[in-house]
Amino acid sequence: MARCCACAGPDEDRARAQLAALTGAPARPGAAPAALIDGEPGHAGGPFTLDGLTAVGEVTLHNRSELLAALAAAGAAAPAGCPDGELLLRCWARLGAAGIRAAEGMFVLIVVDGADLVLIRDQVGARTVFYARADGCWAASTSLRSLRHWPALGTGLNLAAVRSFLTFAYLPGEETLLRGVLEALPGRILRLAADGTATQEPYWEPSDALAPAGGPSAGELTADVHTADVHTSRLRTLLEDATRCRLPQDESVAVLLSGGVDSSLVTALAAKLHTRPVHTYSISFGDELPNELGYSGLVAEHCGTRHRILTVSGDQVAARLADTVALLDSPVGDPLTVPNLMLAEAVAGDGLRVSLNGEGGDPVFGGPKNLPMLVQELHRDGPSPGARAEAYLRSYRKCYQDLPALLTPEALRALADQPHPERFVAPYLRPGAMQSLLNQLLHCNLRTKGAHHILTKVERLTASQGVQGRSPLFDRRVIDHAFATPPRWKLNGTVEKWVLKEAVRDLLPDTVTDRPKSGMRVPVQKWLRGPLHELSGDLLLGDRARQRGLLRPDTVRTWMRGEGALLPRQGGKLWLLLTLELWLRAYDL
C-alpha cells in the first residue's frame, strides 16, 4: 500500500530535490519526477511513462473494456493487461478530456508534462489529491501529510478552514487546514504551469433537463405514470450496471448494510448479480439503543447473505478515536468514523478486498435533509441572493451560529477579512446547471458533502485496511440520470427518493422499501458523558488547545456541562471540537 506524489518546475534538478524531500528518499540525477510514498495506506501505482509524460496515481477503473475499445478505435490500442493507471494515462494522452470523461471509476492521476503538473480527479471525488507551490516548484500528492512536512513550503494552520470545518463538519471545497495547500476538485483537469499559474478544465458536471426560469419542462408537463415508468426502468438498468461493474471478479464481496433502503438495494443487487458469496456487515451500539438491526437482518435473510453484526462500545471508540482521526487527510466530524474503521477491519479480516456501500442515495436522489431548505423557501422574505446560502449553512446545525461565542476574539479578528463560508454553496443554489430548487440542493450536496465528506471518509478508512470501498449510487451515469429525472419523481409528495425505491421495489420487502428514514442512532452524548468525558476535557481545555488560541475555554466548559446555546444538539457540537483537536495534534498544528 502506498500514496504518491510528483514535483515539477522549470529547474528539473530542483524539482527532483523537492520530490526527495517529500518522499524522504535521496535525490537521484535523471530519476523520474514522480514517486510512490511507502508506508501510507493507499492504492497508488506507477510511475508510468508515455510520449514524454510521467504519471503516478491511485486509479481503479470500472469500465476497462470500454476504454480499451475507445483507444483502439482511435488507433492507439493499449496492452490489454496494462495497469489501470497506465490505461488512464493513455486515455488522457491520446483522447484528452474526452478520454477522461469516458472513464468510470475511482481515480486520481498526477501527470508530469514537462515543467507542468496536470492533476486529474474522478467525476465525483472518490479519491483525493492535494497541491502546493514553493521554491519555484509545484508539488502534488495524494497524501496531505507529505505536504505538511515539505520543508520548502513551511505551512501552518489555515484559520479560515477551521471556521469552515466548524460550519460544515468537513471541508467543502478546495481549502485544507494547511496554509498554502489546496485540494483539486472532482470532475476537473487542473494544470499547474511552470510560471506559477493554475487553470482548470471541467470535464464533467451534472445538469438537469428542466426548462429555464423555473418553468416546467416538457417532461414535467406530460409526466404521468408512463413517463415515471420510463425513468424507473432506465434507472434500474443503470443501477444493475453500476453494481455489476464494481463487483470483484471471482471473489466474494462485502456490503455494509445499515438496514436503510440505500444499502439494502445495493445488497439485493449484489446478491442478484454476483456469482460468489455476498457478506453483509452491520453495526450495533448495544441492545438498549434504537437500532436498525431488525431491518438489516431481514434484508440479509431475504437476500441470502452471510451476515455479521459488530458491536461497538464507547470504550472502543475512546481508545481508537485518535488513531482513526489521524488516518484522515481532513477531519470529518462524523461519530461513525471509528465504527466505519472497525467495519473495514472486519471485512479485511474475512479476506475480502472489495466492500460496497449504499452511500449516495440522499445527495443524489433527495433524502430528508433537503426538507428544511424546501420549507424555508416557502417562508423567506424577498429574493435576497444570500438568503439561500445562509439558510443552507444554518441547516447543517453544527457550530455556524455559535462561532461568535465559540472562537476567541483574536481568532474572530483574524477571520474578519477572510472569505465567508457561503462561497462554497452559493454558486449551486441559483439557476445554472440546475433549474429546480430541489436539483440545486442535490447538486450542492453532491459537490460538497458527497465529495468532501462521504467519499473521502469511505476511501481513507477502507484503504487503511487494504480494502476498496465502492459506491454504486455515486456512479456517474446513475447521477446523470437522477438529475435528468423530473424532481416530482424524486420527492413525490412526501415520499423521498421515490424513483429509486420504485426501481428496486421487486428486490426488497415492502417493509424495507417503504420505511421512513431514521438513520443510525449513534450514542454520542452517552460517550461524551462516559468514556470520552475525561479525554475531552483534557484535550479541549489542556495547554496545547489554550496555546493555539482558537476556542474560548469558558464556552467549551459550558458545553461540556450541557448548558448554554449548545442545546439541543449537545453531542454533535462537542464531537466537532474533539475531532478537530485530535486532527490538529495528529498533524502537529
Side-chain angles (χ1 to χ4, degrees), residues 26 42 91 141 145 204 259 312 363 366 385 407 409 426 430 440 465 501 533 542:
C91 289
S141 179
R145 198 177 300 275
W204 178 82
V312 178
L407 296 178
R430 53 179 176 251
Q440 289 166 19
Q465 304 305 308
K501 295 174 181 178
H533 182 75

Side-chain angles (χ1 to χ4, degrees), residues 247-253 274-277 351-354:
L247 293 170
Q249 292 187 355
D250 301 321
E251 297 180 26
S252 297
V253 69
H274 205 28
T275 58
R276 302 297 296 271
L352 306 177
R353 299 191 300 171
V354 172

Side-chain angles (χ1 to χ4, degrees), residues 161-180:
V162 171
R163 178 172 61 183
S164 297
F165 174 75
L166 294 174
T167 297
F168 293 92
Y170 60 91
L171 297 181
E174 291 178 296
E175 70 179 355
T176 73
L177 280 163
L178 298 184
R179 188 177 60 250

Side-chain angles (χ1 to χ4, degrees), residues 148-213:
R148 167 69 181 102
H149 298 295
W150 185 19
L153 183 61
T155 186
L157 179 62
N158 177 10
L159 186 58
V162 171
R163 178 172 61 183
S164 297
F165 174 75
L166 294 174
T167 297
F168 293 92
Y170 60 91
L171 297 181
E174 291 178 296
E175 70 179 355
T176 73
L177 280 163
L178 298 184
R179 188 177 60 250
V181 180
L182 296 174
E183 176 181 333
L185 295 178
R188 305 290 189 270
I189 298 168
L190 177 65
R191 180 172 288 272
L192 307 173
D195 63 3
T197 59
T199 56
Q200 64 177 0
E201 175 188 358
Y203 70 87
W204 178 82
E205 194 68 42
S207 64
D208 62 20
L210 304 183

